[in-house]
Each structure stands twice: as structure tokens, then as C-alpha cells.
Amino acid sequence: MSRFREALAAPGLRAIAEVKRRSPSAGDLRPDADPGRLAAEFASAGAGAVSILVDSRFGGSVDDLRVARAATSAPLLAKGFFREDRELDGLEEAGADAVLLLLRDLDDRRAAGMLARAEELGLDALVEAHDAVELARAVELGAEVIGINARDLDTFEVDRRAALELVASAPPDRVIVAESGVGARAHGAEAELAGADAILVGSALMRAPDPAAKLRELLARPLVKICGLTREEDVAVAADAGADLAGFILARETPRRAPSVLPVPNTMLSVAVYVGERGDAPSDLAQLYARENGHRARDGVLFRGDEQVAYVVDRAWQEDDPEHIERARVAEGRIVLAGALTAENVGEAIEVVRPWAVDVSSSLELAPGIKDHDRVRAFVEAVR
């Protein structure tokens, strides 16, 4: 397996961090960007690979690729609008491990020829699709790494929802990269749950005061879910504190029952929480517990649509459970850790379990369903 593909196929959500000075849609982003410094900083911040714009329309050049290669050993993607075989010549020598091929600009004959030429040169290809037809073409062409771009390159509009459905429909034996529109941890998590192996992030990093710190933020785990929300003002405080998931309990037996799945800001995902039977309230995710002896079971399942995407390890209601952390530690797959977490104990729990997300509700309350805003902020800060 090549370095580029291997880096993106590693466990967990990976990232291709992009260096670009400007874009046709946004104009100048970071005109003075130093590709060497940024590439090195991105690699240190956890990037699986670094994308270097080599097209003058983005303020880039092949010299930027050379500078980045001198600064880091991370896999490098040469990104441009390549339409001819000869345009790939020299990129590997300049430091590229992979090249971008946009199916929007290439018919199948030309795309196949350029894939073959890239292989001859020792380069991987990130084959980019924008719709279901292009995704099917990428699969038929045998592309091993497929990018699904949420941005329409004609209108520059971003439709993350449509792109994520394409991600979810992609074959699991390909490495799938979700591109464009990623500006918050929740966006990356949403792509991950849809089946993306990696995200490609450019503009959000280039606009940030500290691009490497922004990358760390996007990749940070665990996510934070504030559950038992019943009021819009509490949702707003949770979002402002930096929480990623907003949980709304719709089960009949709890005093924390929400009136509905309330609106959440773009930086969060909504989670409808059910006991016994799953309802159909509109939400990004659903969390389901079995009902046992009139109460919810200790553990649950997190769904994206009809697909189970994580396992929730929780304590039995109103019972001390000394084996709680050990059960979570040995569980496989994505783990959402819940059960009497507080700002004081969550750090130790994270260190032992390494969960994908932490889920907290009653310990942050003034009364059932009413959050203490200071405790919400303190909890999120303790996780971060």
C-alpha cells in the first residue's frame, strides 16, 4: 500500500490539511502562507497528509511543493486542475506522493489514461467526484482513494448533506475523503459516521489565526455530548462552550423529556434519545436504549439513519456500578462513555477508556432538564 493511501486508511478519522493562499470562491485566504512551515506544523498537528495547491489560480506553484517536501516527510498531495498526462511529469520529483484528478474535467478515457500515468510515475491519485454519476465512474475506474466534494465547483455552493449521502453509499473497500465544508468537530464527526476515512480541510485552516491549532481542534476526540437538554438557552450555552452533540430525551419515563428535538447551531449535531422504541423525530443521530423492568437498560446504541455507528456504555439507573469503566475499556468499536461523569472525573475516565465521545446529563443540572451553565462550561473545558 502506498504512503498516501496508507496514511488515510489508518484507524480513526484522518485529515488532509490543505495549504492554499486563495480560492476562486473565497478570494484571498492567507496570501503570505509559507507552505514549508504550514506543512510541517500540520504534520505535527496530526494531519495524515498535506495538500499543496500548485495552481496559480490559488496562488500556488510547483515550487510550493518543493518547499513543503523539504520541510516534512508527510505524504503530499499535489492539487491542481490536471487534464493532460504531461502535467503530472515532474510532480513526484518535486515531492508529491499523490495527485488530484477531477472527474468533472475528465472523461473516462482521459481519466483512465491519467490514472495509468500517475501509477507509472509512482503517484497515488485522489479521484474527486461531485455526484452519484461521478462516484460510480470513480469506482468503475478502479480508483482506490475517492474524494467526495460537497462544493459545487460551478456555483461554489456547499451541500454537506448531499455529499454525506454519497459518502455513505461509497464502497467500503475504497478510501473515502469528505471534502469541503468542514469547519467544526461535528462536521468531521458527521463525515466519519457516514463512512469517510478522512476529511480534506483547507479554507477553515487558512482563515484560522493558528491553522495547526484549528486542525487539532477538528480532529480532537472525544466529542462532547450534552444530553437531557430541554431549553433553547441551554443548547446555546452548550454550543458556545464547545460541545459537539446535543441530546434530547424523548422517552416518556424521564423528567428530562424534551418537548421536541430543538434547533441546534451548525457546529453541533442533534441526537434524539429513545427508550424501548425508536421514534421518527427529525435529528442528525438517534440513540436507543432497550427498556428493562420499566427503566432503560444500562447500555445503548447510536444510529446514523438505520446504521449502528457507536456503542453507548452507561451505568444502570440508580445503581453503583464499579465495573462501569472496565466494561467501557474492553468494549470494541466507537464508544460513547456515559454515567455520572463530571468535570472532576472525566479526565481520568478518558485516559482509561479513550472513548469516541463522552455523554453527560444529570451532573450538570440545577433541576431535571435545567442546566447549570457554569457546570456545562467547566465540563467541556475539562474534556478539552
Side-chain angles (χ1 to χ4, degrees), residues 106-114 137 141:
L106 304 168
D107 61 24
D108 286 348
R109 182 188 64 81
R110 178 97 313 268
M114 295 192 72
R137 289 176 58 205
L141 286 162

Side-chain angles (χ1 to χ4, degrees), residues 185 224 226 238 241-243 343 375-384:
R185 268 183 308 272
V224 177
I226 305 296
R375 276 189 255 175
V376 170
R377 296 185 187 97
F379 183 85
V380 176
E381 184 177 354
V383 174
R384 301 295 174 223

Side-chain angles (χ1 to χ4, degrees), residues 248-254 256-261 272-275 281:
F248 304 96
I249 302 175
L250 303 179
R252 65 176 182 268
E253 61 263 49
T254 175
R256 298 174 182 86
R257 183 172 184 174
S260 63
V261 174
V273 182
Y274 302 101
V275 177

Side-chain angles (χ1 to χ4, degrees), residues 68-98:
R69 173 49 69 221
T72 181
S73 61
L76 298 181
L77 170 70
K79 189 169 179 181
F81 296 97
F82 305 118
R83 294 180 174 85
E84 302 291 338
D85 290 4
R86 59 180 174 78
E87 294 176 305
L88 305 185
D89 295 343
L91 293 177
E92 190 275 337
E93 182 181 352
D97 296 276

